[in-house]
Amino acid sequence: MKIGLYFGSFNPIHTGHLIIANHILNETDLQKIWFVVSPQNPFKTNESLLHENKRLDLVKKSIADDERMMASDIEFNLSKPSYTINTLTYLQENYPDEEFFIVMGSDSFQGLYKWKNAETIIKEYKILIYQRPGFETENKLQAQIEVLNAPLLDISSTEIRELITKEKSIRYLVPDKARKEIEKKGYYKK
């Protein structure tokens, strides 16, 4: 099976993430997208990070009705911070019959050379890139890439967290089931 690995903090997951995943499933021959919830991104601080199990639960609630998508906690039991190469190695060892692809934005692709063991990732995995405004996809790394022009919404998890702290509505920015959980549990309120 061809599986796209969509790595992220998903702090919280929002409609933009789901639109990208849906577009990639529609426009490629991938059969599934796994949302790989990262407990700790090595390039980000931990300050406003909701606990990993709560973020995973929000992803699960958001994609519950779509069998093409899965929420993955694979990185929860690996060493922290979460390095993509460690996750990929683990997945190849434990799911040898699956073919994994990496899903990322053109902004992340520009910084791929900074990742741990970037040369191995570039050599061994195909990367599906969705264009982000202001970040052109220049393949200076000679990676195996496919560039997709997914429909993008100019929303971010940071912006959503700020709206919550200001007690403003996040309706339509995050899937309804996730929004209700965030409001019910008081997530991201200072």
Side-chain angles (χ1 to χ4, degrees):
M1 183 181 300
K2 293 184 175 184
I3 299 168
L5 301 172
Y6 193 172
F7 293 92
S9 300
F10 304 110
N11 189 38
I13 188 167
H14 55 68
T15 308
H17 295 128
L18 299 176
I19 288 171
I20 289 164
N22 187 66
H23 180 79
I24 289 169
L25 286 164
N26 284 342
E27 299 300 319
T28 68
D29 59 354
L30 292 185
Q31 289 130 317
K32 282 211 181 271
I33 292 236
W34 290 3
F35 286 85
V36 182
V37 179
S38 299
Q40 185 188 343
N41 181 320
F43 296 110
K44 292 183 180 176
T45 62
N46 242 357
E47 292 164 16
S48 61
L49 202 58
L50 190 65
H51 188 275
E52 59 211 43
N53 287 317
K54 292 175 181 174
R55 289 182 284 124
L56 179 73
D57 186 53
L58 291 174
V59 173
K60 284 180 178 176
K61 281 178 170 39
S62 299
I63 62 173
D65 300 332
D66 194 335
E67 69 283 344
R68 304 168 307 153
M69 300 180 192
M70 185 185 98
S72 172
D73 63 358
I74 203 93
E75 291 189 343
F76 291 15
N77 299 314
L78 300 176
S79 61
K80 292 173 185 62
S82 306
Y83 291 107
T84 301
I85 190 63
N86 296 349
T87 307
L88 293 168
T89 302
Y90 178 86
L91 289 170
Q92 286 303 162
E93 288 170 0
N94 290 279
Y95 300 91
D97 297 332
E98 311 299 356
E99 187 179 356
F100 293 105
F101 298 74
I102 300 169
V103 173
M104 70 171 61
S106 54
D107 54 338
S108 295
F109 183 69
Q110 280 191 355
L112 182 61
Y113 69 94
K114 298 179 197 169
W115 292 20
K116 181 180 177 186
N117 294 39
E119 55 289 330
T120 304
I121 294 170
I122 290 162
K123 191 174 88 182
E124 296 185 14
Y125 294 91
K126 186 169 182 184
I127 303 170
L128 304 174
I129 301 170
Y130 54 92
Q131 285 297 138
R132 299 285 300 263
F135 297 94
E136 292 306 311
T137 303
E138 293 181 45
N139 194 3
K140 294 177 184 172
L141 303 171
Q142 305 295 301
Q144 306 168 66
I145 65 169
E146 182 177 344
V147 179
L148 301 155
N149 290 310
L152 298 176
L153 294 178
D154 189 19
I155 57 175
S156 71
S157 296
T158 303
E159 183 182 313
I160 291 165
R161 292 191 306 272
E162 287 170 6
L163 286 170
I164 293 168
T165 61
K166 294 175 184 171
E167 298 186 12
K168 304 231 179 204
S169 173
I170 58 168
R171 185 180 294 261
Y172 313 118
L173 297 174
V174 297
D176 237 23
K177 289 178 183 176
R179 178 186 59 80
K180 288 175 181 171
E181 184 76 4
I182 288 167
E183 289 170 355
K184 181 175 140 192
K185 301 276 177 74
Y187 294 161
Y188 303 109
K189 290 192 171 186
K190 295 278 180 195

